[in-house]
Amino acid sequence: MKAFRSLRILISISRTETPYSKTHLPQNFIRRSYSAQPNLDEPTSVNGDSVFDGSQYSIEDPVKKPKQPNWDKGYRERVQRELFPQEKQSSEEEEEDEDSIDRSRILAKALLEAALESADDELGEGEVREEDQKSLNVGIIGPPNAGKSSLTNFMVGTKVAAASRKTNTTTHEVLGVLTKGDTQVCFFDTPGLMLKKSGYGYKDIKARVQNAWTSVDLFDVLIVMFDVHRHLTCPDSRVVRLITYMGEEANPKQKRILCMNKVDLVEKKKDLLKVAEEFQNLPAYERYFMISGLKGSGVRDLSQYLMDQAVTKPWEEDPFTMSEEVMKNISLEVVRERLLDHVHQEVPYGVEHRLVDWREQRDGSLRIEQHLITPKLSQRKILVGKSGSKIGRIGIEANEELRRIMNRKVHLILKVLLK
């Protein structure tokens, strides 16, 4: 009792404040006398100099955030519109469907799924469990300027390979990825297989052709493509030999299909049947497709066939984000395409193209520096143009396209140097 009385006296003294009397005991001491635990409402000082307040820092819940694509979604709307149009509905139809569905059934189903699945198994939008993933590797081969790169860009929805009217545009194997639902299809665009009339390859493309041939048997599905319009107007015996060679001997571990590209240029569609009859007796080809890789005619049937051929296998590429290596390759391909459009004859083929700097700035923009090295001074003057007009136009067009593809600000720097 004496201890309790003394405590009450101390409390009354601490509450009484007069200009003539000052308490020597802080209020915190009186409060903490009631409990063995410290007062958590009061901030603790560090070395008597500063105060750390944990309420100033927000602690995020360990919830798995869905991945977001790092490309421009609008840039890929063409693929959704052309290849999968049946899955799209108007906003009015969606509102009517939502009103007509019993909300109680939806709520019961959601509660049941939440009870059956743990929090760790929850997936974000567009994510698929590894055991449910399907994958397919598709290789595209054919003679130069057959439209392989145009088909790859159309199927993927993003420019991943340079496409030009000039021959031998593709200089190395280019990867493009199409992901739809639980299926991922990887397209490998290869350099054109070209030989001289004498049968010997050109020195500058000999290595490219060899790499293309060595990778033929590595794909799950092989697309052999040729320009059907050129075949009708000016047939090439080398192209016929290539198609026949790939179609004579079947590979038990690989499915091969024959694609007749650029059907939009053929005026008489009956001529396409004659070409199909010409190659129909080749046993290695399981299907024949008549397509236009540039405009998308017939590509829907081809994409559906490839989706059906996919096998249960984990995805090899991330469907949401482009890797830095892929983006670097895209930047080189975009500049090379503009280079082929604006510079003619042998000049673009003799240019050595290098990626020198790839740097992300603090403001989120991307700095890309590429060097174009020419073997001759005359070629350098042609590439630079009068007062830098030629290289300036190439840089402006490539910069704008890279901004659309990567959905960020891009600072492209092109330098023309002499070897």
PDB file of all heavy atoms in Angstrom, residues 346-366:
ATOM      1  N   GLU A 346      26.279  -2.247-104.402  1.00  0.00           N
ATOM      2  CA  GLU A 346      27.055  -3.109-103.507  1.00  0.00           C
ATOM      3  C   GLU A 346      27.414  -2.429-102.193  1.00  0.00           C
ATOM      4  O   GLU A 346      27.987  -3.064-101.298  1.00  0.00           O
ATOM      5  CB  GLU A 346      28.349  -3.549-104.202  1.00  0.00           C
ATOM      6  CG  GLU A 346      29.482  -2.529-104.203  1.00  0.00           C
ATOM      7  CD  GLU A 346      29.279  -1.387-105.205  1.00  0.00           C
ATOM      8  OE1 GLU A 346      28.299  -1.470-105.986  1.00  0.00           O
ATOM      9  OE2 GLU A 346      30.076  -0.453-105.218  1.00  0.00           O
ATOM     10  N   VAL A 347      27.071  -1.155-102.019  1.00  0.00           N
ATOM     11  CA  VAL A 347      27.500  -0.405-100.834  1.00  0.00           C
ATOM     12  C   VAL A 347      26.964  -1.011 -99.533  1.00  0.00           C
ATOM     13  O   VAL A 347      27.724  -1.254 -98.592  1.00  0.00           O
ATOM     14  CB  VAL A 347      27.112   1.079-100.967  1.00  0.00           C
ATOM     15  CG1 VAL A 347      27.494   1.844 -99.695  1.00  0.00           C
ATOM     16  CG2 VAL A 347      27.776   1.692-102.184  1.00  0.00           C
ATOM     17  N   PRO A 348      25.651  -1.292 -99.396  1.00  0.00           N
ATOM     18  CA  PRO A 348      25.175  -1.810 -98.103  1.00  0.00           C
ATOM     19  C   PRO A 348      25.728  -3.184 -97.747  1.00  0.00           C
ATOM     20  O   PRO A 348      25.819  -3.526 -96.562  1.00  0.00           O
ATOM     21  CB  PRO A 348      23.649  -1.855 -98.286  1.00  0.00           C
ATOM     22  CG  PRO A 348      23.444  -1.914 -99.752  1.00  0.00           C
ATOM     23  CD  PRO A 348      24.555  -1.122-100.351  1.00  0.00           C
ATOM     24  N   TYR A 349      26.116  -3.971 -98.753  1.00  0.00           N
ATOM     25  CA  TYR A 349      26.623  -5.314 -98.476  1.00  0.00           C
ATOM     26  C   TYR A 349      28.085  -5.278 -98.011  1.00  0.00           C
ATOM     27  O   TYR A 349      28.546  -6.214 -97.362  1.00  0.00           O
ATOM     28  CB  TYR A 349      26.501  -6.190 -99.719  1.00  0.00           C
ATOM     29  CG  TYR A 349      25.069  -6.367-100.176  1.00  0.00           C
ATOM     30  CD1 TYR A 349      24.568  -5.626-101.245  1.00  0.00           C
ATOM     31  CD2 TYR A 349      24.229  -7.262 -99.540  1.00  0.00           C
ATOM     32  CE1 TYR A 349      23.261  -5.783-101.665  1.00  0.00           C
ATOM     33  CE2 TYR A 349      22.920  -7.427 -99.951  1.00  0.00           C
ATOM     34  CZ  TYR A 349      22.437  -6.684-101.019  1.00  0.00           C
ATOM     35  OH  TYR A 349      21.139  -6.838-101.429  1.00  0.00           O
ATOM     36  N   GLY A 350      28.810  -4.218 -98.356  1.00  0.00           N
ATOM     37  CA  GLY A 350      30.199  -4.111 -97.948  1.00  0.00           C
ATOM     38  C   GLY A 350      30.394  -3.391 -96.629  1.00  0.00           C
ATOM     39  O   GLY A 350      31.521  -3.279 -96.149  1.00  0.00           O
ATOM     40  N   VAL A 351      29.299  -2.904 -96.019  1.00  0.00           N
ATOM     41  CA  VAL A 351      29.400  -2.166 -94.763  1.00  0.00           C
ATOM     42  C   VAL A 351      29.481  -3.140 -93.602  1.00  0.00           C
ATOM     43  O   VAL A 351      28.717  -4.107 -93.512  1.00  0.00           O
ATOM     44  CB  VAL A 351      28.189  -1.228 -94.599  1.00  0.00           C
ATOM     45  CG1 VAL A 351      28.201  -0.569 -93.222  1.00  0.00           C
ATOM     46  CG2 VAL A 351      28.195  -0.163 -95.681  1.00  0.00           C
ATOM     47  N   GLU A 352      30.412  -2.877 -92.699  1.00  0.00           N
ATOM     48  CA  GLU A 352      30.523  -3.666 -91.469  1.00  0.00           C
ATOM     49  C   GLU A 352      29.744  -2.955 -90.374  1.00  0.00           C
ATOM     50  O   GLU A 352      30.039  -1.813 -90.025  1.00  0.00           O
ATOM     51  CB  GLU A 352      31.999  -3.802 -91.072  1.00  0.00           C
ATOM     52  CG  GLU A 352      32.226  -4.685 -89.856  1.00  0.00           C
ATOM     53  CD  GLU A 352      33.694  -4.833 -89.518  1.00  0.00           C
ATOM     54  OE1 GLU A 352      34.534  -4.428 -90.358  1.00  0.00           O
ATOM     55  OE2 GLU A 352      34.005  -5.329 -88.415  1.00  0.00           O
ATOM     56  N   HIS A 353      28.754  -3.634 -89.847  1.00  0.00           N
ATOM     57  CA  HIS A 353      27.794  -3.032 -88.922  1.00  0.00           C
ATOM     58  C   HIS A 353      28.096  -3.511 -87.500  1.00  0.00           C
ATOM     59  O   HIS A 353      28.106  -4.718 -87.236  1.00  0.00           O
ATOM     60  CB  HIS A 353      26.377  -3.443 -89.343  1.00  0.00           C
ATOM     61  CG  HIS A 353      25.309  -2.613 -88.712  1.00  0.00           C
ATOM     62  ND1 HIS A 353      23.963  -2.804 -88.946  1.00  0.00           N
ATOM     63  CD2 HIS A 353      25.374  -1.580 -87.847  1.00  0.00           C
ATOM     64  CE1 HIS A 353      23.265  -1.942 -88.256  1.00  0.00           C
ATOM     65  NE2 HIS A 353      24.098  -1.185 -87.580  1.00  0.00           N
ATOM     66  N   ARG A 354      28.353  -2.578 -86.582  1.00  0.00           N
ATOM     67  CA  ARG A 354      28.711  -2.938 -85.212  1.00  0.00           C
ATOM     68  C   ARG A 354      27.849  -2.175 -84.216  1.00  0.00           C
ATOM     69  O   ARG A 354      27.532  -1.003 -84.415  1.00  0.00           O
ATOM     70  CB  ARG A 354      30.188  -2.626 -84.924  1.00  0.00           C
ATOM     71  CG  ARG A 354      31.190  -3.425 -85.729  1.00  0.00           C
ATOM     72  CD  ARG A 354      32.606  -3.004 -85.352  1.00  0.00           C
ATOM     73  NE  ARG A 354      33.617  -3.689 -86.159  1.00  0.00           N
ATOM     74  CZ  ARG A 354      34.916  -3.452 -86.071  1.00  0.00           C
ATOM     75  NH1 ARG A 354      35.352  -2.526 -85.209  1.00  0.00           N
ATOM     76  NH2 ARG A 354      35.776  -4.111 -86.831  1.00  0.00           N
ATOM     77  N   LEU A 355      27.479  -2.868 -83.139  1.00  0.00           N
ATOM     78  CA  LEU A 355      26.828  -2.229 -82.001  1.00  0.00           C
ATOM     79  C   LEU A 355      27.900  -1.908 -80.971  1.00  0.00           C
ATOM     80  O   LEU A 355      28.528  -2.800 -80.393  1.00  0.00           O
ATOM     81  CB  LEU A 355      25.774  -3.163 -81.395  1.00  0.00           C
ATOM     82  CG  LEU A 355      25.060  -2.656 -80.135  1.00  0.00           C
ATOM     83  CD1 LEU A 355      24.296  -1.377 -80.423  1.00  0.00           C
ATOM     84  CD2 LEU A 355      24.139  -3.723 -79.574  1.00  0.00           C
ATOM     85  N   VAL A 356      28.131  -0.624 -80.732  1.00  0.00           N
ATOM     86  CA  VAL A 356      29.238  -0.181 -79.884  1.00  0.00           C
ATOM     87  C   VAL A 356      28.783   0.081 -78.454  1.00  0.00           C
ATOM     88  O   VAL A 356      29.467  -0.291 -77.491  1.00  0.00           O
ATOM     89  CB  VAL A 356      29.893   1.082 -80.476  1.00  0.00           C
ATOM     90  CG1 VAL A 356      31.028   1.568 -79.586  1.00  0.00           C
ATOM     91  CG2 VAL A 356      30.413   0.796 -81.878  1.00  0.00           C
ATOM     92  N   ASP A 357      27.634   0.700 -78.276  1.00  0.00           N
ATOM     93  CA  ASP A 357      27.199   1.091 -76.924  1.00  0.00           C
ATOM     94  C   ASP A 357      25.707   0.842 -76.785  1.00  0.00           C
ATOM     95  O   ASP A 357      24.927   1.126 -77.696  1.00  0.00           O
ATOM     96  CB  ASP A 357      27.514   2.568 -76.675  1.00  0.00           C
ATOM     97  CG  ASP A 357      27.253   2.979 -75.227  1.00  0.00           C
ATOM     98  OD1 ASP A 357      27.237   2.083 -74.366  1.00  0.00           O
ATOM     99  OD2 ASP A 357      27.047   4.178 -74.973  1.00  0.00           O
ATOM    100  N   TRP A 358      25.326   0.297 -75.641  1.00  0.00           N
ATOM    101  CA  TRP A 358      23.918   0.046 -75.291  1.00  0.00           C
ATOM    102  C   TRP A 358      23.766   0.396 -73.816  1.00  0.00           C
ATOM    103  O   TRP A 358      24.256  -0.305 -72.944  1.00  0.00           O
ATOM    104  CB  TRP A 358      23.564  -1.407 -75.553  1.00  0.00           C
ATOM    105  CG  TRP A 358      22.156  -1.790 -75.195  1.00  0.00           C
ATOM    106  CD1 TRP A 358      21.679  -2.075 -73.951  1.00  0.00           C
ATOM    107  CD2 TRP A 358      21.052  -1.918 -76.091  1.00  0.00           C
ATOM    108  NE1 TRP A 358      20.340  -2.376 -74.012  1.00  0.00           N
ATOM    109  CE2 TRP A 358      19.934  -2.298 -75.308  1.00  0.00           C
ATOM    110  CE3 TRP A 358      20.907  -1.775 -77.462  1.00  0.00           C
ATOM    111  CZ2 TRP A 358      18.683  -2.519 -75.884  1.00  0.00           C
ATOM    112  CZ3 TRP A 358      19.665  -1.989 -78.025  1.00  0.00           C
ATOM    113  CH2 TRP A 358      18.569  -2.359 -77.246  1.00  0.00           C
ATOM    114  N   ARG A 359      23.104   1.507 -73.547  1.00  0.00           N
ATOM    115  CA  ARG A 359      23.080   2.022 -72.182  1.00  0.00           C
ATOM    116  C   ARG A 359      21.691   2.567 -71.854  1.00  0.00           C
ATOM    117  O   ARG A 359      21.089   3.294 -72.647  1.00  0.00           O
ATOM    118  CB  ARG A 359      24.111   3.119 -72.024  1.00  0.00           C
ATOM    119  CG  ARG A 359      24.387   3.549 -70.595  1.00  0.00           C
ATOM    120  CD  ARG A 359      25.345   4.729 -70.569  1.00  0.00           C
ATOM    121  NE  ARG A 359      26.511   4.489 -71.418  1.00  0.00           N
ATOM    122  CZ  ARG A 359      27.365   5.442 -71.796  1.00  0.00           C
ATOM    123  NH1 ARG A 359      27.156   6.685 -71.414  1.00  0.00           N
ATOM    124  NH2 ARG A 359      28.400   5.129 -72.551  1.00  0.00           N
ATOM    125  N   GLU A 360      21.188   2.188 -70.663  1.00  0.00           N
ATOM    126  CA  GLU A 360      19.925   2.722 -70.169  1.00  0.00           C
ATOM    127  C   GLU A 360      20.192   3.951 -69.314  1.00  0.00           C
ATOM    128  O   GLU A 360      20.969   3.888 -68.361  1.00  0.00           O
ATOM    129  CB  GLU A 360      19.179   1.661 -69.359  1.00  0.00           C
ATOM    130  CG  GLU A 360      18.697   0.484 -70.202  1.00  0.00           C
ATOM    131  CD  GLU A 360      17.780  -0.425 -69.419  1.00  0.00           C
ATOM    132  OE1 GLU A 360      17.472  -0.080 -68.253  1.00  0.00           O
ATOM    133  OE2 GLU A 360      17.377  -1.464 -69.964  1.00  0.00           O
ATOM    134  N   GLN A 361      19.523   5.052 -69.646  1.00  0.00           N
ATOM    135  CA  GLN A 361      19.721   6.303 -68.935  1.00  0.00           C
ATOM    136  C   GLN A 361      18.875   6.343 -67.662  1.00  0.00           C
ATOM    137  O   GLN A 361      17.991   5.501 -67.446  1.00  0.00           O
ATOM    138  CB  GLN A 361      19.371   7.488 -69.854  1.00  0.00           C
ATOM    139  CG  GLN A 361      20.096   7.474 -71.184  1.00  0.00           C
ATOM    140  CD  GLN A 361      21.584   7.721 -71.039  1.00  0.00           C
ATOM    141  OE1 GLN A 361      22.054   8.183 -70.011  1.00  0.00           O
ATOM    142  NE2 GLN A 361      22.337   7.414 -72.079  1.00  0.00           N
ATOM    143  N   ARG A 362      19.133   7.323 -66.831  1.00  0.00           N
ATOM    144  CA  ARG A 362      18.390   7.453 -65.573  1.00  0.00           C
ATOM    145  C   ARG A 362      16.927   7.783 -65.796  1.00  0.00           C
ATOM    146  O   ARG A 362      16.082   7.424 -64.972  1.00  0.00           O
ATOM    147  CB  ARG A 362      19.038   8.543 -64.701  1.00  0.00           C
ATOM    148  CG  ARG A 362      20.438   8.176 -64.201  1.00  0.00           C
ATOM    149  CD  ARG A 362      20.976   9.255 -63.272  1.00  0.00           C
ATOM    150  NE  ARG A 362      22.291   8.887 -62.752  1.00  0.00           N
ATOM    151  CZ  ARG A 362      23.002   9.643 -61.936  1.00  0.00           C
ATOM    152  NH1 ARG A 362      22.519  10.832 -61.553  1.00  0.00           N
ATOM    153  NH2 ARG A 362      24.190   9.230 -61.502  1.00  0.00           N
ATOM    154  N   ASP A 363      16.610   8.476 -66.863  1.00  0.00           N
ATOM    155  CA  ASP A 363      15.223   8.836 -67.134  1.00  0.00           C
ATOM    156  C   ASP A 363      14.445   7.712 -67.821  1.00  0.00           C
ATOM    157  O   ASP A 363      13.298   7.906 -68.213  1.00  0.00           O
ATOM    158  CB  ASP A 363      15.160  10.101 -67.999  1.00  0.00           C
ATOM    159  CG  ASP A 363      15.911   9.935 -69.321  1.00  0.00           C
ATOM    160  OD1 ASP A 363      16.583   8.892 -69.499  1.00  0.00           O
ATOM    161  OD2 ASP A 363      15.821  10.851 -70.166  1.00  0.00           O
ATOM    162  N   GLY A 364      15.031   6.524 -67.974  1.00  0.00           N
ATOM    163  CA  GLY A 364      14.349   5.402 -68.597  1.00  0.00           C
ATOM    164  C   GLY A 364      14.577   5.275 -70.083  1.00  0.00           C
ATOM    165  O   GLY A 364      14.145   4.286 -70.690  1.00  0.00           O
ATOM    166  N   SER A 365      15.226   6.251 -70.695  1.00  0.00           N
ATOM    167  CA  SER A 365      15.484   6.191 -72.131  1.00  0.00           C
ATOM    168  C   SER A 365      16.661   5.255 -72.424  1.00  0.00           C
ATOM    169  O   SER A 365      17.372   4.820 -71.516  1.00  0.00           O
ATOM    170  CB  SER A 365      15.768   7.581 -72.683  1.00  0.00           C
ATOM    171  OG  SER A 365      16.920   8.137 -72.064  1.00  0.00           O
ATOM    172  N   LEU A 366      16.848   4.983 -73.688  1.00  0.00           N
ATOM    173  CA  LEU A 366      17.870   4.033 -74.122  1.00  0.00           C
ATOM    174  C   LEU A 366      18.812   4.720 -75.101  1.00  0.00           C
ATOM    175  O   LEU A 366      18.367   5.346 -76.065  1.00  0.00           O
ATOM    176  CB  LEU A 366      17.208   2.825 -74.787  1.00  0.00           C
ATOM    177  CG  LEU A 366      18.071   1.598 -75.042  1.00  0.00           C
ATOM    178  CD1 LEU A 366      18.586   1.031 -73.735  1.00  0.00           C
ATOM    179  CD2 LEU A 366      17.265   0.536 -75.781  1.00  0.00           C
TER     180      LEU A 366
END
